[in-house]
Amino acid sequence: MKRELPVVITSVVAALYVVASFLDIKAFNVMKSHLDKWFLIISASTILLGVINLYVVHASAIRRRKPGFVYSIILLAALAFTLILGLQETSQGRNYAQLYQYVLNPLSSTMYAILCFYIASAAYRAFRMRSVDAALLLGTAVIVMIGVVPLGDVLWQGFPKLSQWLLDVPNTAGMRGIMIGATLGAIATGIRILLGLERSHFGRAE
Amino acid sequence: MQMQRVDIWIAALLTLAMFSFLYKENPFYRVAEHVFVGVAAGHGVIVAVDSYLRPTVKSVVKDDQYIYIIPLVIGLLIYTRYVKSVAWLSRITIAFLVGIGAGIALTRQIKPFFLDQIAATIKPVWVAGKLGVSLNNIVLITGVVATLIYFFFTTSQKGVLKVTSTYGRWIMMIAFGAAFGNTVMSRISLFLGRAQFLMKDFLGVLH
Amino acid sequence: MTLSERLQSIDRRVIYLILAAVIVGVLLHPIGMPIRVGKETQTVYAALDALKPGSLFVLSFDYSASNVPELHPSAIAMLKHAFSKNVRVVLTALSPEGGMWANDALGVALQKYPDKRYGVDYINIGYKPGGQVFLEKLATNVKDACANTDASGKPLDSFPIMKDFRTAADVSLAASMTAGEPGYPQWIANYGEPNKVPITAATVAVGVSGAIPLVTSGHLKGVLKGMRGAAEYELLIKDKGTAVAGMDAQSLGHLTIVFFVLVGNIGYFLQRARARGRS
């Protein structure tokens, strides 16, 4: 029961969805519409999961006085502050909007802006023409790097053209091959789920 | 976004605290990092509650749409995972989400990302009077096939298969090189955004 | 330490400093390099430009703060373009932070088009959870998909624009400002393809390689490629913004990274030549 019921529900829901999508019959359309709405409600109801996990991990670090537990206190305080403010005045409130603009926005942007420097350092350290594969990777990367910015036009008119050709032809071939393969994989996984053969998403058996 | 002076200082100090990690790990960075995770997690909840959960609960009560109590309960079952004796009930929530996800994969992805991509690859290998187009088509068709063959592990890759899969790998190397070139563009843009903020809004040296 | 070793072991902080100095320096003293408008940007522009006044255009903010420099200028430029054509705009978001940025973009665009009325010429339905399933629902029943509320929690049926926006059949064009997933792949698979709605997009430059096959297969009506695409669009609508301002710095930043890659490789080949000479 504990294992079979969820498998049966998954298969039935997937099968209903597939049938409803392929048959343009009113009853099925209504059913698909309900399934979509149910999905939205169910996924919205699970939103606290991440927050609870964060709380469990950091509350335990604080209780055990693990090294750096002060940072866990800061994290939970920031979380609690955001939740209280947001629930009190909604995300459209003036103070909440300020919290987003002046705290979350700069932190989030800068966290990713740092990658600019890492990618420069990583390219310098790792990009070596050791083999044909590496030469193709490096050559394309350099041409695209120059070709996609206005500097490419200034240095040599051929840079943007070559860069565009690399993107349109060999890149399209490689990425399309990967896309076809990945979709085939997703379809195969979908069929395995529908048939109840794929169960890894339920975790380990008890 | 329009900013006030004190707020700009807060945003600028948090930005600099984050950048300080480039020199080495330090307490300013760690404080900023933990504030970021806390606020970001809280923000996700608030937006989901505001945008969907609150209005849905309201409509259940106001418009007598009691049928939607069922998916609400199914959704809430996910939290049973924290109580060991009934933890298995959380699988029912996952079952619904995965079932619909699988249904979508089986119905919506096949055409645009599989069939249409194959159709877009079937091109003439010889276009009269247009050598460039013909060569491009040949590279495209052989490139897609070779890339797929690279991932074909059912039999060991020897002879023609090995040659084709090597060609497929080269095509992918070019694709990854192009992706890297574009990634550099992305990352520099992100730093540009922060530099524009610091120089324009904070220091006022850029107009 | 030999020259080849030195060339290959520059301290990472020196690289950081030089890169930052170049970018900041060029931001302060722009060169003014000409920006050529690419074919993909022209396709996006033409798709929006061809819309008749009064038709509905859905603009989706599928990004968070971290991708703002690349995608926000595109969103603002497309919004201004739509307003200039008297096209009605529905703003939405698949990213939880997208609703905030939709409001911000509106703030900027409305400074230029202050006569546009909320609920009549445009509406912000904000972020809604569910990704691809939200789009499935949005295609068949907008009210249900949005729990009948706009971004500020007001009932959708209180706005006149919603009388003409009930299903995907009412939409003439949808554009996704995509930072990752959910983004344009979901707009194509769950909204555009099943309902024959043309889809266009702006993507972070990281995603350009993956987007091109969908442009060449006709699923995307062009694509704005990162900050460069935004700069090109700003030029097309003759309204220069932050993207155009950043292009020179972007160029020189790329050149700096290419320079360091070349230095590393020169060091590598010198080392290899020495090793060969010894043996």
Side-chain angles (χ1 to χ4, degrees):
Chain A
M1 162 89 167
K2 288 179 184 177
R3 195 108 189 123
E4 281 70 33
L5 182 66
V7 174
V8 171
I9 291 173
T10 312
S11 299
V12 170
V13 169
L16 283 176
Y17 205 91
V18 170
V19 171
S21 297
F22 285 119
L23 296 180
D24 192 14
I25 297 168
K26 202 182 171 194
F28 283 122
N29 287 340
V30 172
M31 188 180 65
K32 181 180 171 295
S33 178
H34 274 295
L35 277 177
D36 286 341
K37 175 103 181 170
W38 279 38
F39 181 95
L40 296 181
I41 297 174
I42 293 171
S43 60
S45 315
T46 60
I47 196 74
L48 281 175
L49 207 58
V51 168
I52 294 175
N53 283 343
L54 259 186
Y55 175 79
V56 169
V57 170
H58 287 277
S60 139
I62 295 166
R63 263 199 313 274
R64 292 177 191 171
R65 297 282 190 276
K66 277 189 181 172
F69 76 93
V70 179
Y71 298 115
S72 293
I73 297 175
I74 292 170
L75 187 150
L76 291 183
L79 173 64
F81 181 75
T82 310
L83 287 176
I84 292 166
L85 187 64
L87 290 173
Q88 201 180 23
E89 62 171 35
T90 80
S91 57
Q92 300 294 316
R94 194 173 160 271
N95 293 321
Y96 191 86
Q98 280 186 317
L99 176 73
Y100 180 81
Q101 282 180 44
Y102 308 127
V103 178
L104 187 55
N105 176 21
L107 287 173
S108 172
S109 314
T110 316
M111 183 68 98
Y112 287 88
I114 289 175
L115 296 176
C116 164
F117 298 97
Y118 291 159
I119 204 165
S121 171
Y124 161 71
R125 259 163 243 293
F127 262 165
R128 298 282 185 272
M129 265 200 265
R130 282 186 190 152
S131 61
V132 179
D133 290 26
L136 284 170
L137 189 88
L138 176 62
T140 313
V142 168
I143 293 167
V144 171
M145 261 191 262
I146 298 293
V148 294
V149 284
L151 181 73
D153 289 274
V154 175
L155 290 179
W156 175 49
Q157 291 283 321
F159 268 128
K161 284 181 191 153
L162 197 54
S163 160
Q164 187 71 44
W165 180 81
L166 285 167
L167 271 172
D168 284 349
V169 184
N171 168 72
T172 296
M175 286 299 175
R176 183 170 283 162
I178 293 170
M179 192 188 292
I180 292 170
T183 310
L184 206 57
I187 295 165
T189 310
I191 293 172
R192 281 178 59 80
I193 289 171
L194 192 136
L195 297 175
L197 299 171
E198 180 67 51
R199 300 174 178 201
S200 56
H201 48 277
F202 291 128
R204 279 170 297 170
E206 280 155 17
Chain B
M1 290 186 174
Q2 296 295 310
M3 292 192 175
Q4 308 300 315
R5 202 62 221 167
V6 179
D7 302 322
I8 292 174
W9 269 89
I10 294 171
L13 290 177
L14 289 172
T15 301
L16 294 172
M18 276 288 184
F19 275 135
S20 68
F21 186 69
L22 287 170
Y23 183 68
K24 65 176 187 181
E25 170 127 14
N26 63 78
F28 296 111
Y29 168 76
R30 294 207 72 188
V31 168
E33 179 195 26
H34 284 77
V35 170
F36 169 53
V37 176
V39 176
H43 179 69
V45 174
I46 295 303
V47 178
V49 169
D50 273 1
S51 59
Y52 209 82
L53 224 45
R54 205 195 308 251
T56 302
V57 173
K58 262 188 199 167
S59 75
V60 165
V61 181
K62 217 172 96 187
D63 308 329
D64 297 336
Q65 293 185 324
Y66 296 110
I67 182 82
Y68 294 128
I69 290 176
I70 303 172
L72 265 176
V73 171
I74 293 171
L76 294 175
L77 283 178
I78 196 81
Y79 303 108
T80 58
R81 62 192 297 134
Y82 297 107
V83 186
K84 218 171 183 181
S85 57
V86 288
W88 70 275
L89 286 169
S90 67
R91 288 182 189 153
I92 292 176
T93 318
I94 296 168
F96 267 91
L97 297 178
V98 172
I100 294 178
I104 287 178
L106 287 171
T107 53
R108 294 300 193 219
Q109 293 190 1
I110 296 174
K111 190 175 177 295
F113 305 138
F114 185 70
L115 297 176
D116 289 351
Q117 294 307 315
I118 294 170
T121 310
I122 302 170
K123 286 174 172 266
V125 288
W126 178 248
V127 183
K130 290 180 179 173
L131 183 65
V133 176
S134 305
L135 287 174
N136 283 349
N137 287 353
I138 291 169
V139 174
L140 183 73
I141 297 164
T142 53
V144 171
V145 173
T147 304
L148 285 166
I149 285 176
Y150 177 79
F151 292 106
F152 185 70
F153 303 120
T154 312
T155 55
S156 63
Q157 298 196 331
K158 289 179 198 155
V160 182
L161 267 187
K162 190 172 166 69
V163 173
T164 321
S165 86
T166 305
Y167 174 56
R169 203 176 66 230
W170 287 352
I171 287 285
M172 278 193 287
M173 283 302 144
I174 296 176
F176 295 151
F180 185 86
N182 279 311
T183 305
V184 165
M185 185 167 176
S186 249
R187 301 305 176 229
I188 290 187
S189 300
L190 300 185
F191 175 66
L192 264 173
R194 293 326 291 156
Q196 281 174 329
F197 159 71
L198 287 173
M199 293 162 71
K200 199 173 172 183
D201 299 308
F202 181 53
L203 297 173
V205 292
L206 200 67
H207 302 286
Chain C
M1 194 187 270
T2 62
L3 176 68
S4 62
E5 284 167 342
R6 251 186 238 168
L7 288 177
Q8 289 186 82
S9 56
I10 301 171
D11 188 87
R12 65 185 170 87
R13 280 170 283 204
V14 173
I15 298 174
Y16 297 167
L17 205 64
I18 292 174
L19 184 60
V22 166
I23 292 174
V24 169
V26 181
L27 269 179
L28 284 170
H29 305 286
I31 305 159
M33 279 185 260
I35 302 167
R36 189 183 39 82
V37 178
K39 60 175 183 177
E40 280 94 1
T41 307
Q42 265 159 355
T43 312
V44 177
Y45 179 85
L48 182 48
D49 205 59
L51 298 185
K52 291 185 184 121
S55 49
L56 277 173
F57 166 55
V58 177
L59 182 59
S60 187
F61 290 69
D62 307 334
Y63 59 91
S64 56
S66 51
N67 306 104
V68 162
E70 287 193 272
L71 296 173
H72 204 48
S74 287
I76 292 171
M78 289 191 86
L79 191 54
K80 284 179 178 171
H81 188 195
F83 280 164
S84 74
K85 300 285 298 178
N86 288 319
V87 167
R88 290 180 295 173
V89 189
V90 176
L91 295 94
T92 185
L94 300 184
S95 151
E97 294 178 35
M100 299 276 201
W101 291 106
N103 271 335
D104 188 67
L106 274 171
V108 178
L110 287 172
Q111 281 177 5
K112 195 173 177 186
Y113 299 96
D115 53 330
K116 297 289 171 192
R117 290 156 301 166
Y118 188 79
V120 179
D121 302 308
Y122 69 95
I123 191 164
N124 180 10
I125 56 177
Y127 161 73
K128 303 292 171 201
Q132 52 190 355
V133 181
F134 162 65
L135 294 178
E136 289 276 329
K137 197 80 189 133
L138 190 73
T140 54
N141 188 332
V142 173
K143 210 173 125 178
D144 253 11
C146 305
N148 194 27
T149 51
D150 72 346
S152 60
K154 293 193 184 91
L156 283 181
D157 31 27
S158 62
F159 301 109
I161 192 174
M162 295 313 292
K163 285 195 185 89
D164 300 325
F165 179 44
R166 293 173 190 278
T167 67
D170 303 320
V171 175
S172 302
L173 179 72
S176 166
M177 309 290 106
T178 300
E181 292 211 5
Y184 67 76
Q186 285 67 34
W187 277 98
I188 291 171
N190 303 97
Y191 197 84
E193 267 295 305
N195 308 290
K196 304 285 166 262
V197 177
I199 304 292
T200 188
T203 175
V204 285
V206 177
V208 168
S209 301
I212 296 295
L214 291 163
V215 175
T216 52
S217 66
H219 292 91
L220 278 178
K221 304 284 169 220
V223 64
L224 301 181
K225 300 185 271 189
M227 200 189 231
R228 167 78 193 248
E232 292 173 7
Y233 210 96
E234 285 176 353
L235 288 178
L236 283 174
I237 63 161
K238 297 180 180 65
D239 192 336
K240 290 181 192 173
T242 53
V244 169
M247 270 305 105
D248 285 344
Q250 183 93 46
S251 287
L252 271 291
H254 284 216
L255 192 66
T256 310
I257 294 180
V258 170
F259 168 76
F260 279 114
V261 170
L262 290 180
V263 166
N265 274 282
I266 290 168
Y268 170 69
F269 280 108
L270 281 177
Q271 193 181 27
R272 229 170 63 162
R274 262 169 54 110
R276 273 194 193 148
R278 267 197 221 125
S279 62

